[in-house]
């Protein structure tokens, strides 16, 4: 036995070191530890407060004379009886306050109670609280994070709709019902400003109404739904309301609002992710001690959690084994692997390019065919929806291909999952970009001449057209989600449950695949961000869509699904969703920015008829401001200001990086110190026990029948004196 | 009745109802005289909130005064208070340490870890895998090099475990 381990032997002649360890101040301080800065959720602790009267309610704390702060009684790890005794003890020490102190204390306590009740009420008002709790109980925290992400998006879309409604739609609605003075936007470029009415003439067959409803043409085209309807420039009442400026600023503000809200939500997840990445080797402890979800009450859920934990542990062991294998690879093997990976990546790029080319061709074809009258109703719909269909097909096939080929690249399992996901994310979001690019190639002089900067013969109001395409994408996305749920998932359940054929066995029960579902809704949200500029009612449609998707997915989950055998970690998954959403936002802001700054707005419709580009509203308004204000704003936009801002941002970034590096070093030093302290402690206790052993050896009849602990203490006290 | 810690008054009343349900013949409805009544372990671990928990025995034992799992009403409230969402991380860490310390020696040694792992996975890992996982866990968390986890090691590790707060709570 190791000499140091002799410390922990159960030799009853000497006082057990266990008892000595119990007497150590550090163990005693477990019970009265100083408040750490991390537990900000604890209410009211850590501040100087008057001691309370005995009222059977919350106990406040008071500072001890030595300056050490006591924790509130409710947070002591003692039994209730001990806590009551502790409370009485503290009150005896402190004495009850009277008069002014007592009144203040009572007011403070009732305010605190009020605040807590208010928070309870607010949290009970949260949308879908009961549903989300139910899902968490049955399926765990991984799937819960998907549904709370969906709830967040519903709220975000609703706020975006409110912004658009209040600043853009409401003024126009007011003017149509009151008799305010309006200046319509007009231009002197005659031939581009012809906007034929899009409503159908003559006898309209019923199915044409349906086509119009589903593709935003016909009776829907010149309504509040699309950009083209907002042809006002100024609304004169008490002040002059500049509608183009409002439109532009609302667009910018909804993008900024989304950015701020997402970043705020991801901040806590990011902090946790940084800590987790710091200690990648923490994974085993996290799974053993924080792996079991204590909320689980259902037997099936418990069984599934157990199997998912088992799977995770086996995966981790597998990863260790693979890491070992990778470290032992020879140079020849490594060269072969890199060649293989390069070939596979080339293949992936080829697949992506072919998909993008298909989308481009489909869009061009669809645009050309839209001019012609189709005989068949279904054919007409197909032509309208051709780009959406191609995109959906591509997004369905490419994940299957990626999943297949990743096994050739010989990565570790965790990296495989992440890499495949990244490829799928890129595919989804880039397909929207390709669609927009092909639309613009058609709009900005694809084939014919364009005197006004865009093809005004085919697209007298090109923004409305882009808005229609976005509208179609959103509608089709929702139809696909609903169709897959109703026509594939429910029959799958019926087949698997009732039919005993080979198909049922191979297909298996539906799993709720979190990553693919998240990509679906991020895709929808990206379309919404791009399309709101062209179709101001799109956030409202998106809100309703996500509202319905929540219930669809919930019902599908409850009746059809079993939880995934590949568990998705709750802690990192929420962060992953928000990162993908941020990528979507970044991608969405590019087309919006380009179209605001570069592409000339249509002359026949919309609020920007008078301007060479949509952004031109802002400089024109600034020049009309009072001279001092306008010169300040001009200075802000000048190059000098931009360069200095950039330099300051870089300096700030360098400072923060240096700070982070310094903190890391301090943490490592503290960790080493902690380890060293532990070793010191064991060494000292060993020496102490050896010395005591010596004493006992010399006087064996002493302390054999008495209290062991007292003997030890007595000994310690003697040496001190 | 004392309103306790992280649980509001209405929940406190419903907790008393639940406590009474566990052993109606043992637990009086009227608690004004503070009767000394303890419900045995066997009845408490059958509660629906605890039934599926692999550590239910250890949880109840760590909150009982005698260490055998017999909970008085105060201990019962204590238990659900610490396991509620509102309890601070440090308090939960203290009790988590007690729960995972099967042999109650103030250290989580290899045997404690193996027992924890076997309870978690219902012994579906092979013995070699169990040993490997326990070794890796101790390697990760042990700071003072004594091949077992003292409370300082445990608390340091749990403060960096991102899932702890969200999983170590029971909803009642």
């Amino acid at each position: 036995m190791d000499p140091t381990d002799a410390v922990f032997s159960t030799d009853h002649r000497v006082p057990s070191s266990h008892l000595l360890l119990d007497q150590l101040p550090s163990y005693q301080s477990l019970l009265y530890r100083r408040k750490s800065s991390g537990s900000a959720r604890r209410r009211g602790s850590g501040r100087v407060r008057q001691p309370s009267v005995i009222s059977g309610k919350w106990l406040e704390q008071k500072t001890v004379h030595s300056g050490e702060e006591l924790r509130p009684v409710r947070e002591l790890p003692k039994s209730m009886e001990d806590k009551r005794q502790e409370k009485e003890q503290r009150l005896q020490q402190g004495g009850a306050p009277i008069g002014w102190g007592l009144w203040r204390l009572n007011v403070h306590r009732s305010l605190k109670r009020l605040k807590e009740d208010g928070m309870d009420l607010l949290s009970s008002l949260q949308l879908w609280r009961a549903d989300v709790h139910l899902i968490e109980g049955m399926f765990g925290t991984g799937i819960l994070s998907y549904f709370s992400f969906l709830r967040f998006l519903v709220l975000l879309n609703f706020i975006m709709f409110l912004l658009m409604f209040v600043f853009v739609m409401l003024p126009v609605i007011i003017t149509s019902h009151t008799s305010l003075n309006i200046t319509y936007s007009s231009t002197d470029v005659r031939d581009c400003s012809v906007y034929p009415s899009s409503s159908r003439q003559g006898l309209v067959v019923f199915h044409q109404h349906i086509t119009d409803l589903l593709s935003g043409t016909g009776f829907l085209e010149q309504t509040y739904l699309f950009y083209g309807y907002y042809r006002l420039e100024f609304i004169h009442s008490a002040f002059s309301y500049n509608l183009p400026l409002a439109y532009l600023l609302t667009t910018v503000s909804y993008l900024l609002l989304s950015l701020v809200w997402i970043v705020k939500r991801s901040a806590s997840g990011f902090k946790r992710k940084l800590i987790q990445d710091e200690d990648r080797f923490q994974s085993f402890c996290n799974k053993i001690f924080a792996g079991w979800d204590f909320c689980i009450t259902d037997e099936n859920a418990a069984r599934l959690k157990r199997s998912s934990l088992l799977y995770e542990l086996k995966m981790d062991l597998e990863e260790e084994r693979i890491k070992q294998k990778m470290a032992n690879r020879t140079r020849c093997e490594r060269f072969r692997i890199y060649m293989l990976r390069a070939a596979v990546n080339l293949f992936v790029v080829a697949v992506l390019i072919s998909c993008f080319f298909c989308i481009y061709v489909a869009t061009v074809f669809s645009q050309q065919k839209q001019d012609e009258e189709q005989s068949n109703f279904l054919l007409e719909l197909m032509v309208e929806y051709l780009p959406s269909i191609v995109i959906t097909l591509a997004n369905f096939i490419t994940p299957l291909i990626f999943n297949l080929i990743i096994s050739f690249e010989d990565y570790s399992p965790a990296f495989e999952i992440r890499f495949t996901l990244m490829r799928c994310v890129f595919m989804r979001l880039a397909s929207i970009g390709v669609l927009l690019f092909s639309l613009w190639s058609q709009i900005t002089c694809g084939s014919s001449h364009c005197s006004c900067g865009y093809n005004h013969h085919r697209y007298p109001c090109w923004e409305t057209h882009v808005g229609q395409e976005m509208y179609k994408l959103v509608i089709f996305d929702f139809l696909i989600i609903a169709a897959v749920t109703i026509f594939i998932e429910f029959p799958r359940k019926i087949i698997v449950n009732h039919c005993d054929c080979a198909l049922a066995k191979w297909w298996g029960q539906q799993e709720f695949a979190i990553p693919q579902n998240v990509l679906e809704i991020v895709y929808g949200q990206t379309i919404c961000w791009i399309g709101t500029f062209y179709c101001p009612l799109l956030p409202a449609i998106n809100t309703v869509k996500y509202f319905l998707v929540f219930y669809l997915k919930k019902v599908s989950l409850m009746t059809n699904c079993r939880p995934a055998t590949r568990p998705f970690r709750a802690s990192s998954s929420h962060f992953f969703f928000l990162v993908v959403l941020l990528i979507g936002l970044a991608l969405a802001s590019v087309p919006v920015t380009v179209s605001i700054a570069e592409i000339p707005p249509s002359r026949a419709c919309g609020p920007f008829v008078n301007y060479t580009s949509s952004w031109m509203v802002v400089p024109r308004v600034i020049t009309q401001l009072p001279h001092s204000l306008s010169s300040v704003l001009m200075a802000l936009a000048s190059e000098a200001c931009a360069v200095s801002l950039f330099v300051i941002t870089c300096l700030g970034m360098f400072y923060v990086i240096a700070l982070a590096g310094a903190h890391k070093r301090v943490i490592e030093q503290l960790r080493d110190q902690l380890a060293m302290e532990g070793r010191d402690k064991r060494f000292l206790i060993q020496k102490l026990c050896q010395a005591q052993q010596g004493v006992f050896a010399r006087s064996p009849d002493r302390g054999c029948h008495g209290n062991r602990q007292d003997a030890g203490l007595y000994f310690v006290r003697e040496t001190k004196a | 009745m004392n309103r306790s810690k992280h649980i509001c008054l209405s929940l406190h009343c419903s907790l008393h109802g639940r406590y009474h349900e566990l052993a109606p013949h043992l637990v009086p409805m009227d608690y004004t005289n503070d009767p000394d009544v303890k419900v045995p372990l066997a009845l408490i671990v059958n509660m629906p909130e605890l039934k599926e928990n692999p550590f239910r025995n250890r949880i109840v034992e760590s909150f009982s005064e005698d260490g055998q799992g017999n909970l008085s009403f105060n201990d019962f409230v204590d238990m659900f208070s610490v396991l509620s969402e509102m309890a601070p991380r440090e308090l939960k860490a203290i009790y988590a340490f007690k729960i995972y310390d099967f042999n109650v020696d103030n250290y989580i040694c290899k045997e404690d870890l193996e027992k924890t792992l076997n309870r978690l996975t219902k012994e579906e890992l092979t013995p070699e895998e169990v040993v490997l996982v326990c070794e890796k866990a101790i390697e990760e968390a042990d700071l003072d090099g004594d091949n077992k986890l003292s409370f300082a090691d445990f608390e340091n590790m749990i403060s960096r475990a991102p899932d702890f707060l969200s999983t170590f709570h029971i909803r009642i």
Side-chain angles (χ1 to χ4, degrees):
Chain A
M1 197 164 57
D2 189 15
T4 40
D5 285 342
V7 170
F8 301 108
S9 67
T10 50
D11 189 351
H12 293 292
R13 287 180 300 120
V14 300
S16 157
S17 57
H18 177 199
L19 296 166
L20 282 170
L21 286 170
D22 276 351
Q23 293 161 31
L24 282 175
S26 59
Y27 182 73
Q28 296 292 316
S29 77
L30 279 187
L31 313 176
Y32 295 97
R33 188 163 297 177
R34 238 173 262 271
K35 174 180 99 94
S36 70
S37 57
S39 52
R41 273 206 295 165
R42 247 194 288 161
R43 304 186 195 96
S45 55
R47 283 187 278 155
V48 181
R49 203 144 312 130
Q50 301 292 330
S52 71
V53 286
I54 302 172
S55 57
K57 297 189 181 169
W58 307 96
L59 182 77
E60 314 292 335
Q61 66 175 35
K62 73 176 189 79
T63 44
V64 181
H65 303 294
S66 60
E68 209 185 85
E69 288 171 13
L70 292 177
R71 296 167 71 176
V73 172
R74 63 182 164 148
E75 287 170 9
L76 294 177
K78 286 177 171 171
S79 64
M80 281 291 268
E81 274 310 305
D82 293 342
K83 283 184 197 171
R84 289 213 192 97
Q85 285 170 12
E86 174 66 31
K87 195 164 81 177
E88 280 169 26
Q89 218 176 20
R90 288 194 193 179
L91 283 170
Q92 276 164 19
Q93 284 175 3
I98 47 165
W100 173 249
L102 178 61
W103 179 80
R104 250 183 42 189
L105 194 66
N106 284 333
V107 163
H108 179 86
R109 215 183 291 126
S110 42
L111 276 177
K112 198 161 85 160
R113 187 92 41 77
L114 196 68
K115 185 175 141 196
E116 278 166 25
D117 289 342
M119 300 286 274
D120 276 340
L121 185 68
L122 262 179
S123 72
S124 70
L125 282 178
Q126 216 180 20
L127 185 64
W128 293 319
R129 190 163 170 257
D131 295 304
V132 163
H133 273 343
L134 184 65
I135 292 171
E136 183 180 6
M138 285 181 64
F139 288 94
T141 34
I143 292 185
L144 165 76
S145 52
Y146 167 79
F147 282 95
S148 70
F149 181 63
L150 194 53
R151 176 171 57 188
F152 161 65
L153 281 180
V154 167
L155 287 170
L156 180 67
N157 279 308
F158 185 66
I159 301 289
M160 274 168 60
F161 163 67
L162 278 180
L163 266 178
M164 270 307 210
F165 182 75
V166 165
F167 291 108
V168 174
M169 284 193 257
L170 200 58
V172 178
I173 294 174
I174 289 177
T175 54
S176 64
H177 291 288
T178 59
S179 55
L180 288 169
N181 227 346
I182 311 172
T183 315
Y184 284 99
S185 43
S186 61
T187 175
D188 45 351
V189 185
R190 285 293 153 216
D191 51 338
C192 299
S193 58
V194 172
Y195 192 14
S197 165
S198 58
S199 51
R200 296 184 189 264
Q201 307 294 328
L203 190 65
V204 181
V205 188
F206 178 68
H207 68 72
Q208 281 174 337
H209 281 303
I210 301 206
T211 317
D212 288 342
L213 184 68
L214 287 175
S215 34
T217 47
F219 71 94
L220 275 181
E221 187 164 333
Q222 277 157 348
T223 55
Y224 289 104
L225 188 57
F226 292 115
Y227 168 99
Y229 190 72
Y230 301 89
R231 217 198 138 140
L232 307 172
E233 192 164 353
F234 289 104
I235 301 173
H236 305 285
S237 66
F239 55 91
S240 197
Y241 189 80
N242 189 343
L243 190 70
L245 185 69
Y247 202 102
L248 192 68
L249 288 182
T250 314
T251 305
V252 169
S253 65
Y254 79 66
L255 286 173
L256 280 177
L257 171 76
S258 309
L259 177 71
V260 164
W261 202 349
I262 295 172
V263 166
K264 191 161 133 355
R265 257 182 95 93
S266 60
S268 58
F270 185 56
K271 274 186 226 158
R272 256 183 279 151
K273 182 127 177 58
L274 273 181
I275 294 176
Q276 198 186 11
D277 278 349
E278 271 285 319
D279 305 307
R280 182 67 188 85
F281 54 82
Q282 266 261 311
S283 56
F284 281 101
C285 278
N286 190 31
K287 287 188 182 84
I288 297 177
F289 295 116
W292 184 266
D293 193 347
F294 280 40
C295 275
I296 291 179
T297 52
D298 180 42
E299 190 188 324
N300 278 332
R303 191 170 32 93
L304 286 160
K305 184 75 183 176
R306 201 176 301 126
S307 61
S308 82
L309 261 176
L310 193 65
Y311 178 83
E312 275 191 51
L313 284 168
K314 290 205 167 159
M315 279 284 104
D316 278 349
L317 286 171
E318 175 80 14
E319 269 217 43
E320 287 293 321
R321 196 186 59 81
I322 287 184
K323 258 188 230 166
Q324 202 64 15
K325 195 180 89 165
M326 277 167 71
N328 294 341
R329 261 198 210 132
T330 64
R331 268 182 69 178
C332 180
E333 274 178 21
R334 234 178 281 175
F335 180 72
R336 193 185 67 89
I337 293 271
Y338 289 153
M339 284 286 109
L340 194 61
R341 283 183 194 168
V344 169
N345 278 316
L346 273 175
F347 175 70
V348 164
V349 169
V351 165
L352 285 174
I353 290 182
S354 59
C355 284
F356 294 158
F357 182 71
C358 288
I359 296 172
Y360 178 80
V361 163
T363 313
V364 168
F365 179 77
S366 154
Q367 296 297 305
Q368 283 166 351
K369 282 289 179 192
Q370 267 171 23
D371 290 339
E372 304 163 20
E373 268 297 313
Q374 299 298 328
S375 49
N376 197 350
F377 161 61
L378 275 176
L379 210 59
E380 203 174 337
L381 266 183
M382 277 273 290
V383 159
E384 294 275 354
Y385 276 89
L386 196 60
S388 319
I389 296 174
V390 172
I391 290 180
T392 309
L393 269 175
N395 284 325
F396 175 70
I397 297 176
T398 42
L400 297 173
I401 299 179
F402 293 155
N403 272 327
L404 206 59
I405 61 172
I406 195 85
S407 49
F408 292 115
E409 292 181 82
D410 210 8
Y411 289 117
S412 64
F415 188 75
E416 268 184 16
I417 297 176
R418 259 183 270 156
F419 200 42
T420 315
L421 264 174
M422 278 298 120
R423 283 179 176 156
C424 293
V425 165
F426 178 72
M427 175 67 210
R428 279 246 182 207
L429 298 178
S431 54
I432 307 175
V434 169
L435 172 70
L436 283 169
F437 173 76
S438 46
L439 267 180
W440 272 321
S441 71
Q442 291 292 297
I443 289 171
T444 55
C445 315
S447 48
S448 51
H449 67 287
C450 46
S451 49
C452 310
Y454 61 95
N455 190 348
H456 62 92
H457 292 295
R458 209 200 270 174
Y459 309 109
C461 188
W462 65 264
E463 287 99 342
T464 300
H465 191 78
V466 174
Q468 283 167 344
E469 293 293 328
M470 297 291 116
Y471 173 79
K472 280 187 270 192
L473 276 178
V474 166
I475 299 279
F476 190 72
D477 190 40
F478 175 65
L479 286 176
I480 285 291
I481 294 178
V484 165
T485 310
I486 296 174
F487 296 119
I488 296 187
E489 294 185 8
F490 279 100
R492 181 173 176 174
K493 176 186 175 215
I494 295 173
I495 290 178
V496 168
N497 278 351
H498 299 290
C499 169
D500 214 8
C501 53
L503 175 69
K505 284 202 179 38
W506 170 73
W507 211 358
Q509 209 181 357
Q510 175 80 23
E511 279 178 18
F512 193 87
I514 296 176
Q516 296 305 325
N517 279 299
V518 167
L519 281 183
E520 237 171 33
I521 55 181
V522 168
Y523 167 76
Q525 186 59 43
T526 308
I527 300 173
C528 179
W529 274 321
I530 298 177
T532 304
F533 183 72
Y534 306 105
C535 174
L537 270 180
L538 203 60
I541 299 175
N542 226 29
T543 309
V544 172
K545 171 184 161 193
Y546 283 159
F547 198 82
L548 294 173
V549 164
F550 183 92
Y551 285 109
L552 263 174
K553 291 287 175 188
K554 176 172 167 259
V555 167
S556 166
L557 181 72
M558 296 299 193
T559 53
N560 301 341
C561 296
R562 60 182 170 127
T565 49
R566 268 183 169 192
F568 213 69
R569 297 206 58 84
S571 51
S572 59
S573 61
H574 199 65
F575 179 68
F576 159 73
F577 302 164
L578 292 167
V579 162
V580 175
L581 198 63
L582 268 178
I583 296 176
L585 179 63
L587 197 85
S589 50
V590 168
V592 176
T593 320
V594 164
S595 88
I596 287 178
E598 291 292 318
I599 303 182
S602 25
R603 299 264 170 263
C605 60
F608 297 105
V609 166
N610 271 334
Y611 305 94
T612 48
S613 83
S614 310
W615 179 251
M616 282 294 139
V617 188
V618 176
R620 205 184 280 190
V621 165
I622 289 181
T623 48
Q624 286 166 0
L625 286 173
H627 180 73
S628 52
L629 198 58
S630 82
S631 57
V632 163
L633 287 172
M634 288 299 210
L636 273 179
S638 66
E639 287 90 3
C641 193
V643 166
S644 38
L645 210 63
F646 178 69
V647 166
I648 291 174
T649 313
C650 282
L651 284 175
M653 210 169 66
F654 285 134
Y655 168 70
V656 166
I657 291 176
L659 203 63
H663 282 155
K664 212 164 145 176
R665 270 194 297 275
V666 166
I667 289 173
E668 274 168 36
Q669 277 175 6
L670 284 173
R671 203 181 296 167
D672 290 337
Q673 241 177 26
L674 208 60
M676 199 53 70
E677 294 293 317
R679 264 179 242 138
D680 281 349
K681 192 158 64 176
R682 287 175 65 222
F683 177 77
L684 288 172
I685 287 178
Q686 175 204 359
K687 288 292 175 199
L688 190 62
C689 285
Q690 279 174 3
Q692 284 176 341
Q693 214 169 11
V695 168
F696 275 112
R698 268 181 267 129
S699 51
D701 51 276
R702 186 192 164 170
C704 273
H705 304 292
N707 194 338
R708 305 264 177 266
Q709 191 174 2
D710 284 342
L713 275 176
Y714 194 54
F715 172 82
V716 170
R717 254 185 255 125
E718 272 192 315
T719 49
K720 260 197 201 165
Chain B
M1 204 187 305
N2 275 338
R3 182 171 154 172
S4 84
K5 316 163 222 176
H6 314 285
I7 301 181
C8 62
L9 183 60
S10 58
L11 194 53
H12 199 262
C13 289
S14 73
L15 270 179
H16 185 237
R18 297 295 304 273
Y19 189 66
H20 178 78
E21 260 173 47
L22 292 173
H25 51 282
L26 209 56
V27 175
M29 278 308 287
D30 181 13
Y31 251 77
T32 45
N33 303 327
D34 234 351
D36 183 22
V37 169
K38 290 192 190 227
V39 177
L41 175 80
L43 291 175
I44 299 178
V45 298
N46 283 328
M47 284 182 75
E49 286 84 359
L50 289 176
K51 201 163 44 98
E52 296 297 335
N53 198 316
F55 304 110
R56 53 188 178 271
N57 285 356
R58 278 301 306 153
I59 295 175
V60 179
E61 280 167 22
S62 1
F63 283 96
S64 65
E65 278 190 55
D66 54 9
Q68 300 300 317
N70 303 310
L71 295 185
S72 67
F73 180 58
N74 288 332
D75 298 332
F76 186 78
V77 171
D78 230 355
M79 179 167 78
F80 283 106
S81 160
V82 169
L83 288 167
S84 76
E85 280 176 296
M86 309 298 230
R89 176 188 276 274
E90 288 170 352
L91 190 60
K92 289 193 185 207
I94 291 171
Y95 280 100
F97 185 75
K98 286 193 194 177
I99 289 172
Y100 293 124
D101 183 12
F102 280 76
N103 50 12
V104 203
D105 63 350
N106 281 328
Y107 286 97
I108 296 183
C109 53
K110 271 223 182 87
E111 290 77 36
D112 292 331
L113 264 179
E114 280 175 17
K115 280 209 193 106
T116 307
L117 199 56
N118 282 327
R119 293 266 177 109
L120 268 181
T121 59
K122 256 206 182 150
E123 301 185 5
E124 281 186 34
L125 282 175
T126 68
E128 302 87 42
E129 286 175 339
V130 170
V131 165
L132 206 59
V133 172
C134 292
E135 261 175 39
K136 281 230 142 315
I138 291 195
E139 197 187 298
E140 285 173 7
D142 188 20
L143 290 175
D144 49 16
D146 57 358
N147 271 339
K148 40 180 148 176
L149 305 183
S150 66
F151 180 69
D153 300 332
F154 182 80
E155 212 203 357
N156 184 37
M157 180 270 298
I158 218 84
S159 67
R160 287 175 295 153
D163 293 335
F164 179 64
L165 274 180
S166 61
T167 55
F168 197 74
H169 86 95
I170 291 184
R171 199 174 286 119
I172 187 164

